[in-house]
Amino acid sequence: MIQTGKVSLDSKHPVETQGGDLSTFTRVNFPTPFPQDSEVVVFAQVQTFHGPHTPGVRIANVNRTGFHIRMNELFGANIMSDGPHVLEEIGWLAVTV
């Protein structure tokens, strides 16, 4: 089973660096829940280019009914972003493995 969709995301929050805190994430519900005991994998990609900073997309809490997603600008050892980002379209694909 394959499901697809898109979501409009922006970020008005600083870069998220703590795992497990979903308070700044957006919940996406699948059009049709996957069957019980399904192992679901979600792939997401930015489809637009509206802002000059490189957006990162974080996905969390994937289950048979949906997932959480957040725009999180790139953050690493020598890279630091401010976090806020303009509205972008994110395409997603969910499949079972």
Side-chain angles (χ1 to χ4, degrees):
M1 179 181 220
I2 298 174
Q3 297 191 55
T4 61
K6 67 178 182 175
V7 61
S8 298
L9 285 181
D10 63 6
S11 176
K12 304 207 183 320
H13 305 282
V15 172
E16 184 60 65
T17 59
Q18 289 295 321
D21 179 4
L22 300 179
S23 63
T24 61
F25 282 66
T26 298
R27 174 72 182 175
V28 174
N29 292 312
F30 298 132
T32 303
F34 285 91
Q36 289 287 347
D37 300 321
S38 292
E39 190 174 340
V40 181
V41 176
V42 174
F43 300 92
Q45 181 69 45
V46 179
Q47 305 291 301
T48 54
F49 180 22
H50 295 150
H53 300 113
T54 304
V57 176
R58 298 302 305 252
I59 297 173
N61 197 32
V62 177
N63 60 46
R64 67 181 215 75
T65 63
F67 60 97
H68 285 83
I69 188 168
R70 181 191 197 285
M71 181 86 64
N72 202 53
E73 288 182 3
L74 299 183
F75 185 86
N78 294 318
I79 303 168
M80 294 187 70
S81 298
D82 58 3
H85 196 86
V86 298
L87 192 70
E88 302 279 6
E89 291 293 320
I90 312 298
W92 59 264
L93 167 86
V95 298
T96 56
V97 293

